[in-house]
Amino acid sequence: MRKVFVGFPITSDFILSPEDSRHIVTVLRKRQGDRVPVTDAEGVTYECRIKKADSQQTLMEPLHRTGERPESAGRVILAAGLLKNDKFEWVVQKAAELGVSAIVPVQMEHCVVKLNDTRRKDRRLRWQRIAQEAAKQCGRNDIPDVTDVLSFTEVLDTYGTMPVIIPFEKETRPLRECCATVRTGDVVICIGPEGGFSDGEIAAASMREQCQTVSLGPRILRAETAAIASLAIIMYERGFK
Ligand code: SAH
């Protein structure tokens, strides 16, 4: 069953949103007295009993905790150059399934897609919804955050204190060699857009001690393949935590 999340801490009886109520009552055909696990804003899961089933506002009663907030073993953050719509959406969905904590859309110099402020807001909402759906579907206890669109420099300024792994097709040092760095703690993976990184971006990264460019092999992968392949490798190294 897909997970139900609520955006507040569960302390007493509460009402589900119309969307979740509809899902529980109409799709899953749950009735009064049935039990449903619900995860709250703090990542704690409660076994809850349906007090009143209603396809608009179902009333729930928390019975007991069944799961604690996920242990914080550090965050894996994916910063990815903007791609044409459906490709970026695909990356958001798969990255959420693989367990990233946050997805940072990056407006890089060689991005084919250029978003103005209004489109950035719309896209962010849409990507956030996709991340939430993917998290529910795969049984995560938390929802990855999709941040505002940042420039590459802003990514370095915001996340530059963490190790930033940059798969770069002109690098020869294999990702394997920096796996020890990514096994615990926070890590950022930064993937270029279809057009690749600009020389300026690579130069800016090379000035930062925390940034390392790595190779994913001799073949040039599509940006979305590179994103998901490197994430999967890093998650494997971290024991899929
Ligand atoms: N336009 C570029 C390729 C960009 S591929 C060119 O033709 O040269 C898109 C992104 O995927 C790259 O910016 C990089 O982050 C990643 N990528 C693709 N293949 C890679 C490889 N073999 N090693 C490391 N990163 C790779």
Side-chain angles (χ1 to χ4, degrees), residues 68-86:
E68 288 307 314
R69 171 208 298 268
E71 236 180 81
S72 174
R75 291 173 295 162
V76 176
I77 295 169
L78 176 69
L82 292 175
L83 303 173
K84 295 208 187 109
N85 281 342
D86 51 338

Side-chain angles (χ1 to χ4, degrees), residues 167-169 191-197 214-217 219-221 223 226:
F168 177 44
E169 62 284 359
I191 302 286
E194 290 105 336
F197 291 100
V214 296
S215 167
L216 301 176
R219 292 161 296 275
I220 295 184
L221 310 175

Side-chain angles (χ1 to χ4, degrees), residues 75-79 155 159 162-166 186-190:
R75 291 173 295 162
V76 176
I77 295 169
L78 176 69
V155 171
Y159 300 101
M162 310 174 186
V164 182
I165 307 294
I166 305 179
D186 293 336
V187 59
V188 180
I189 306 166
C190 185

